[in-house]
Every structure is written in C-alpha cells, then in structure tokens.
Amino acid sequence: MSGDVTPDPRAEANAMLIRARTMLRPEIGMVLGSGLGGLVEAVEDAVSIPYGELAGFPHPGVSGHAGKLVIGRISGTPVAVMAGRAHYYESGDAGVMRPALETLKAFGVTAMILTNAAGGLRPNLGPGSVMLITDHINFSGTNPLFGEKNDARFVGLTSAYDAGMREALRRAARDTGTELGEGVYMWFSGPSFETPAEIRFAQMIGADAVGMSTVPEVILSRFLGMRVAACSVITNFGAGMTGGELSHDETKDMAPLGGAKLATILKQALANGLA
Ligand code: HPA
C-alpha cells in the first residue's frame, strides 16, 4: 500500500478540544522526560489539560512523570508541552505515544523537542550534564511502526535530528554560557537498567548515552512529517562505570541538576526564535 497515512480520528477530535481551551496555536511541541517536569513552571499563560481528557493519550505510570498537556508561552513563543510520557516498557507497545503525537500535529505543531533522562557513557558526560542528541541507535528490537501498512512506514532517518534546530540549541547554549555536550543516544527497552557488559558494548559501538525512551517518538514524529530535536539530561554514569547500583530514585534526584541547564538552553532557544 502507498499514499497518505490515514489520520487517527481521535487526533482531530483532541485538537478541536484543545483549540476550544486556548487561543494559542503553537508550532513547537515538547515532551518532558523523567524528573524534568520543572520546565512546566517556565510556561506562561498556561492552560493545562489532563491526559485523561484526551483520547489515546498515555496514562503515565512512572513516578517522576506528570500527565498533562500544557499550552502556553515560553520566552514569548507558543508551545505545547507534554509533561509526562509513556514508555515502551510500560505496556510493550512501542507506538504508545502515537495518538498524542498525531494530536499535536493535528493541532498545528510542526517541530518537536524531546527530552529525557539518560546514563552517560563518557567521562565528560557525567551526572548533571546535558547532551544534544545527534543520532541514535535502536537496540530495543522493536519499532513504533511495526504493523503500519502504508509505504510511509519506510521512514528515512539519515537526518532525523534537524540540523537547523540543533544549531539553534547550540547557539542558545553559547548565548547563555551553558555547557552542552553532543552525542549518540542508544535506546534500550528497559525497565531493568543495563548490565556493565551492555554498557561496554554500547561504548564500543559508538553510543554516548543510554536510555529507555525518545527513539520511538523520534521515529513517529518523522513519520508524521514533524522536525525533531532531542536532548538528554545525564543523571548517572552507565552501569559498571562507577561501581554503585543504579536506581530510578537516583534518576529522579539527579534530573533537576541538568534539567535546570536544559531549561536555560530551551528558554534562550525559544527567545531567539527556534529555527
Ligand atoms: N540507563 C537507562 N536509562 C536511564 C539511565 C541509565 O543509566 N539513567 C537514566 N535513565
């Protein structure tokens, strides 16, 4: 089968519901990862819609994740912020974010900024640092487009991470004197953390950070024709790099450190007018 992708009717219904709640028509969407919900406080004139009111939106079941869509302005720029995501490991459905992303697209969003908490694999990507994702490795064995019938499923990912948006984020980091690393994010299914052997393997094949999210949202956003940028907030070194055991508590405790830096960069990028 070829031709256009059949839109999910829930997406247009959700978009109508959102339009009835706010006059804003953002072109930029954001997904806030584990422990990064603090960025919601930067949203001015905020209108908040619980995911429960939006058909097909996830029910975030992970502590550290809220579950609301916040429409408002950051640095004067209209944004649609998803505070909370669902992960593949919660249900075994890699396409769990598809209705939400289709809704944002139907609402008029053309560019997504995705954020996550991740483990760093390089000495200079320690807890509290922020990494601009330049590329990814999908090590999950799954794909959110499994079962998609349309030829549009053969999504090209050669330039998945938009060059213009990346440059805008680099510039915002420079403007604010905030350190911003760059690297390749490797998606593991979770929910268990990686083993030290998996981390050594990840380092060997060129990963700079590891995590349990974001990649399916990148694939879906590109499938839907939206531009994408993504950043990781590093909460810990990868398993075995320092000796201690990893935990979700550590992720939640450490996320605000890099989260504050990421918020600084994003606010400046939006003030500059994200390209
Ligand atoms: N591995 C996978 N996901 C993560 C990590 C990690 O070390 N830290 C935060 N999220």
Side-chain angles (χ1 to χ4, degrees):
M1 202 201 290
S2 60
D4 287 340
V5 179
T6 312
D8 183 336
R10 292 174 300 179
E12 192 47 52
N14 286 338
M16 281 175 63
L17 183 152
I18 301 165
R19 285 188 200 107
R21 303 272 179 100
T22 173
M23 300 296 284
L24 294 177
R25 298 293 177 262
E27 292 180 10
I28 294 174
M30 290 170 55
V31 179
L32 303 183
S34 284
L36 304 176
L39 205 62
V40 160
E41 276 139 46
V43 183
E44 296 144 23
D45 309 323
V47 169
S48 227
I49 306 174
Y51 287 172
E53 292 185 37
L54 296 162
F57 269 57
H59 307 284
V62 183
S63 61
H65 281 263
K68 59 187 180 182
L69 177 66
V70 181
I71 315 287
R73 288 191 174 87
I74 297 180
S75 311
T77 303
V79 286
V81 181
M82 288 189 66
R85 62 153 54 89
H87 306 77
Y88 166 61
Y89 62 73
E90 292 173 59
S91 62
D93 174 10
V96 62
M97 290 287 281
R98 182 165 172 172
L101 291 166
E102 283 202 40
T103 295
L104 293 186
K105 183 184 159 85
F107 181 47
V109 167
T110 59
M112 291 298 304
I113 303 172
L114 308 170
T115 69
N116 61 47
L121 304 192
R122 286 200 321 247
N124 60 345
L125 280 176
S129 46
V130 183
M131 185 186 94
L132 178 65
I133 300 179
T134 55
D135 202 349
H136 74 232
I137 297 169
N138 179 356
F139 191 62
S140 68
T142 189
N143 192 292
L145 297 175
F146 277 179
E148 176 66 31
K149 300 290 184 291
N150 198 285
D151 275 359
R153 64 187 156 184
F154 301 112
V155 180
L157 296 175
T158 309
S159 43
Y161 298 85
D162 189 81
M165 291 175 78
R166 276 195 272 161
E167 195 44 48
L169 291 168
R170 284 189 197 106
R171 185 185 147 205
R174 274 198 308 272
D175 289 352
T176 55
T178 313
E179 207 171 331
L180 179 63
E182 299 200 9
V184 174
Y185 175 89
M186 185 163 172
W187 177 33
F188 283 81
S189 72
S192 51
F193 283 105
E194 299 74 28
T195 63
E198 287 166 345
I199 291 299
R200 289 194 299 275
F201 166 70
Q203 288 170 321
M204 242 183 278
I205 66 167
D208 301 297
V210 291
M212 307 177 191
S213 69
T214 306
V215 167
E217 295 153 31
V218 172
I219 296 170
L220 287 166
S221 298
R222 295 302 300 141
F223 171 69
L224 296 169
M226 296 191 283
R227 297 193 297 149
V228 173
C231 289
S232 291
V233 161
I234 306 298
T235 54
N236 56 278
F237 283 113
M241 288 175 69
T242 54
E245 194 50 273
L246 305 186
S247 71
H248 186 56
D249 280 342
E250 181 183 33
T251 301
K252 286 187 292 184
D253 288 348
M254 296 306 293
L257 199 63
K261 292 183 194 166
L262 179 57
T264 301
I265 294 169
L266 292 177
K267 282 188 227 170
Q268 183 67 34
L270 292 164
N272 289 347
L274 195 60

